[in-house]
């Protein structure tokens, strides 16, 4: 038989256990991306085959064609199918795709994409976020021309953070959706630059979220790469480069714009002369390279209306007002 004291102790123990349970549940709810009951947050689900046909992204751009294969690309059968789709699944059936984007979360899947792209010489872009979700990168891989995924150990951005400060019991560190958002944005930006041909396409662009540091670089392929298709692509690239005629640097002469018919002799003249522009520019602060001011503040012109002022009078305000009334 238990004494009252023992029973009280047991009750306290149970209360503590209940509290712990409640706490761990609330942590799970905060972390779990899919399972949330809040009405204003849309539930994120994996798309089923039927959902793809009525896919919400269709409404954004109805011209986009979706083709969905939900499988593990590292198995032999699926890998063969994957290779077939990237070599024949372009906008025009039978033609290769323009670009492959890798947004996978594991080494094996990246290696599979690398192997496939090396074999058929497909240009692709790799992307990833570190496990602690405070750094990420994107990488453009042109088989034979730049380092492939197997040429060197995978590149990661040093996060410069003590892991212990990130990890908390019951909390998954890699749940910083903003990092994924930033890296995804950088990837899509690079895709647009590559496909539409503007700006400088990045070969490698890292992102360190802790210090807002964006390292960038280009890496040559490794002649001793484990992937034989990579080595073959390197040979082909070398031969292609050697066969290409040397491009002479031609200094483009600025052509004078001549309008064939300008009956009225209309000319466009700048409203501001160079001298005026220079005079209007105020001091420019000392800035690091690559940063400039959007505009400069003109230096204050002293006595803008000098000489126009009326000499001071000895009369009072009342006297002046009386004079005015007489006028
Ligand atoms: Zn390689």
């Amino acid at each position: 038989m238990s004494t009252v004291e023992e029973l009280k102790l047991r009750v306290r123990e149970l209360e503590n256990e209940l509290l712990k349970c409640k706490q761990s549940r609330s942590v799970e709810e905060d972390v779990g991306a899919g399972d949330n009951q809040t009405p204003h947050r849309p539930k994120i689900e994996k798309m089923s085959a039927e959902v793809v046909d009525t896919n919400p992204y269709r409404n954004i751009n109805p011209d986009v064609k979706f083709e969905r294969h939900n499988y593990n690309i590292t198995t032999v059968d699926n890998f063969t199918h994957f290779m077939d789709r990237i070599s024949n699944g372009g906008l025009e059936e039978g033609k290769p795709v323009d670009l492959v984007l890798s947004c996978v979360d594991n080494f094996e899947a990246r290696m599979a994409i690398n192997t496939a792209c090396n074999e058929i010489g497909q240009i692709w872009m790799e992307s990833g976020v570190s496990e602690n979700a405070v750094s990420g990168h994107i990488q453009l891989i042109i088989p034979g021309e730049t380092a492939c995924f197997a040429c060197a150990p995978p590149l990661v951005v040093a996060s410069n953070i003590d892991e212990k400060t990130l990890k908390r019991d019951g909390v998954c560190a890699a749940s910083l959706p903003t990092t994924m958002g930033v890296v995804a944005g950088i990837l899509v930006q690079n895709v647009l630059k590559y496909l539409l041909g503007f700006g400088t396409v990045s070969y490698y662009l890292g992102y360190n979220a802790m210090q807002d540091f964006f390292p960038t670089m280009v890496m040559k392929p490794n002649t001793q790469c484990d992937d034989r298709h990579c080595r073959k692509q390197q040979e082909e690239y070398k031969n292609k480069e050697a066969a290409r005629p040397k491009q002479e640097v031609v200094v483009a002469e600025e052509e004078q714009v001549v309008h064939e018919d300008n009956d009225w002799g209309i000319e466009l003249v700048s409203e501001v002369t160079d001298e005026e522009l220079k005079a209007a520019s105020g001091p420019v602060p000392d800035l690091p390279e690559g940063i400039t001011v959007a505009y400069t503040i003109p230096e204050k012109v002293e006595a803008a209306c000098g000489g126009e002022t009326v000499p001071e009078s000895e009369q009072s305000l009342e006297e002046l007002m009386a004079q005015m009334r007489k006028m």
Side-chain angles (χ1 to χ4, degrees):
M1 219 178 122
S2 323
T3 64
V4 176
E5 276 314 302
E6 276 174 336
L7 275 171
K8 272 187 184 169
L9 203 72
R10 183 70 192 128
V11 167
R12 210 169 297 152
E13 271 175 19
L14 285 170
E15 274 175 350
N16 278 338
E17 229 153 89
L18 189 68
L19 200 71
K20 261 190 217 161
C21 268
K22 274 186 184 165
Q23 275 173 347
S24 74
R25 263 188 66 179
S26 76
V27 165
E28 270 170 28
E29 273 169 18
D30 283 345
V31 170
D35 185 28
N36 58 65
Q37 304 301 317
T38 350
H40 51 269
R41 272 165 71 185
K43 202 167 176 176
I44 298 164
E45 282 174 25
K46 276 205 170 159
M47 277 188 263
S48 66
E50 307 82 65
V51 169
V52 167
D53 291 325
T54 53
N55 177 334
Y57 302 114
R58 281 248 162 106
N59 298 331
I60 299 170
N61 186 348
D63 294 337
V64 177
K65 282 187 195 148
F66 288 89
E67 190 181 307
R68 175 179 170 276
H69 307 284
N70 185 11
Y71 55 49
N72 174 3
I73 52 167
T74 61
T75 66
V76 178
D77 286 351
N78 291 339
F79 180 77
T80 314
H81 184 260
F82 171 65
M83 283 257 294
D84 174 65
R85 289 324 289 149
I86 54 175
S87 7
N88 301 304
L91 268 183
E92 208 180 306
E93 189 62 34
K95 293 260 170 75
V97 297
D98 290 310
L99 193 65
V100 171
L101 301 187
S102 153
C103 310
V104 297
D105 65 354
N106 63 80
F107 183 80
E108 288 77 16
R110 280 189 176 87
M111 268 307 196
I113 298 171
N114 189 63
T115 310
C117 291
N118 272 341
E119 193 169 335
I120 55 177
Q122 173 64 52
I123 297 174
W124 64 292
M125 283 187 200
E126 184 342 68
S127 70
V129 167
S130 64
E131 226 169 296
N132 58 23
V134 289
S135 68
H137 72 275
I138 62 153
Q139 190 175 349
L140 167 67
I141 297 166
I142 307 173
E145 188 181 331
T146 66
C148 83
F149 195 69
C151 275
L155 300 166
V156 289
V157 180
S159 59
N160 296 332
I161 185 174
D162 181 359
E163 288 285 324
K164 275 180 243 142
T165 61
L166 275 177
K167 283 190 179 136
R168 238 188 324 144
D169 267 350
V171 177
C172 166
S175 59
L176 205 57
T178 42
T179 310
M180 324 291 171
V182 170
V183 174
I186 292 175
L187 175 69
V188 175
Q189 190 82 304
N190 215 34
V191 170
L192 291 181
K193 288 200 284 184
Y194 174 80
L195 292 178
L196 303 178
F198 68 93
T200 306
V201 180
S202 282
Y203 283 98
Y204 179 93
L205 181 59
Y207 170 51
N208 170 333
M210 303 308 283
Q211 287 155 336
D212 281 343
F213 170 54
F214 295 84
T216 175
M217 56 164 231
V218 190
M219 211 162 65
K220 289 241 155 27
N222 176 4
T223 48
Q224 262 117 60
C225 180
D226 281 342
D227 189 324
R228 68 187 169 89
H229 290 291
C230 174
R231 298 194 307 266
K232 205 178 121 227
Q233 295 286 356
Q234 290 181 45
E235 278 307 310
E236 278 175 25
Y237 175 71
K238 239 187 259 166
N239 296 340
K240 221 165 56 186
E241 279 298 284
R244 226 169 45 168
K246 286 264 183 298
Q247 267 194 332
E248 275 176 55
V249 186
V250 182
V251 183
E253 264 181 63
E254 216 174 292
E255 262 182 59
Q256 282 241 300
V257 183
V258 180
H259 298 281
E260 270 161 23
D261 41 6
N262 185 6
D263 299 339
W264 308 95
I266 295 169
E267 276 181 53
L268 285 179
V269 182
S270 171
E271 285 181 17
V272 192
T273 64
D274 281 352
E275 280 70 38
E276 279 176 319
L277 205 68
K278 245 180 238 166
S281 322
V284 178
D286 213 8
L287 292 169
E289 205 191 311
I291 300 177
T292 181
V293 286
Y295 56 86
T296 56
I297 301 156
E299 288 199 271
K300 275 195 192 127
V301 183
E302 295 290 331
C305 42
E308 299 271 316
T309 49
V310 179
E312 265 188 60
S313 156
E314 297 285 303
Q315 286 161 307
S316 73
L317 189 64
E318 283 76 25
E319 283 169 329
L320 286 168
M321 277 172 80
Q323 274 183 22
M324 286 252 301
R325 251 177 254 131
K326 276 184 212 152
M327 278 166 135

